[in-house]
Every structure is written in C-alpha cells, then in structure tokens.
Amino acid sequence: MLLAERHQFILDQLNLQGRITSVSLAQTLDVSEDTIRRDLNKLAELKLLRRVHGGALALQDNTPDYIERLDKPDTSKIRYIEPALAMLVPGQTIVIDSGETCRYLAQHLPKNMPLTVVTGCPLIAKELAYHSLVDVIVLDGPMFKPAMRVVGMTAIEMVKRIRFDIVFMGICSFHIHHGFSASYVEEAEILSATIRQSDHTVIMGPSHKLDKVATYQIVTANEIDTIITDEEINPSLKKQIESLEIALTLV
C-alpha cells in the first residue's frame, strides 16, 4: 500500500470510529507500529487528526466561544433556518438554544404565529421581546458566558418540568459513533436534559462541524432527529447519518 493510500485509510477509519490505536492499525495494514506512529505524527502535523498516547482521535471542534463571535456575525448561517421555520406549527412549545444560527431563527419567527419559546440565552429572549404572539420562558440559573447561556441544576430542574415539541440547537460537534458533544460540561448537562424532554430535536449548522468530537457527550447520535446542514457534507457521512434514520436536510 502506498503512503498516500495508507494515510487515507487511517483517516477513513478515524472518521468511522472516532478513535484508532497504533496497534490495531499496524495489524490491519501489516506494517510496524513505528511506521504507524510516523504516519499519525505526520497527519497530526497536517491538522487532520488529534494525536494521543497509543493512537489518535478525530479532530475536536475549535470554534471560538460564542461571546467572542458576537461582533463578527456570519450571515451565511441564515440559510439553515428556512427548513427549521417550515417545521413550526401554531401553538407549539419550542426551545431555541444559544448560538448564532439559533439567534437568526428567533429573529425570523413568523409574526403571525403564536408560540411558546423556552430559552436559556438572554440574546434570544431579547430578540423575542417585541414578538406579540410569542410567550417567552427564560430559564433561571448562573450565566455561562462562553456560550451565553444559563446552566446549572436550577435550569435543569426547570427544563424537566416542561415538555417540548421541538428543540432547535446549533451544531456543536457531531460524530456518528461519539454523538452530539460540546466543549464544556456545563453546556453538555443542560443540553442533554433539554433534548430528553423533547419530542423532536433539530441541530443546525455547517457541515464542517460534523465528523468532529468534543470533550463532553450530550446525547448519542441516534437521539438526534433532524440535521440541517449544507450540501458540502461528506457523501460517506451523509450515508451514515441516513442509515441511523436521522432526517437530513441540505441547503
């Protein structure tokens, strides 16, 4: 097997499994562990994987915290909200989470549609303050500034008393084998509780956040119902997502 073919095989296995070991790769490819270690080190230098003792992990998402991106809005994310808006029905109780894509969703809620919106993000609540037909429930608890969201047990207990028709969240990191994950445990705890109270969970955002793993799992992949992303999604990943019967909408 040529070097380039070996590197591609390693990356393909990493995308499938999320984690690989030098021992298993050496056995599969019938090469020495030293050869595999050199391969992994090279791929790590190219920022194609994350090197750890004994093997490698899929890249973790390194998107800057939301608070750091507030003064640099990415209007291209507006495209993800149209399919989300099409899912709304008058009278629903929905969650609009923190994040830029979710904020665009709040800004574009139909003015003639009565809804109850639950949010832990003050920016979302502010956007809906002048929407006359939307009842807003703001979760209580300490503010986690990096994500501009409320976290903690008070918010989680509040969430557990409400049933949601749909939860809308931005894509933190999503991997077929390692699920929907976040960089901070505080985020993962409140997002996990929220999803488990929902009849339908939608995550929205760019495809480069797919096939990524963050430190703290929120839920497993098959607990996500719908993914709204762009057409640049890897075809192999697209098939894997669809095999889990997750609805995939490309925009």
Side-chain angles (χ1 to χ4, degrees), residues 81-94 96 105-106 108-117 128 130-136 165-166 168:
I81 70 168
E82 186 172 344
L85 292 170
M87 301 173 71
L88 297 176
V89 175
Q92 286 176 323
T93 297
I94 68 173
I96 300 182
L105 178 61
H108 289 82
L109 288 183
K111 296 299 182 183
N112 61 346
M113 184 177 292
L115 296 165
T116 298
V117 175
L128 298 173
Y130 299 101
H131 195 307
S132 61
L133 297 182
V134 169
D135 293 326
V136 182
D165 294 294
I166 309 178
F168 295 101

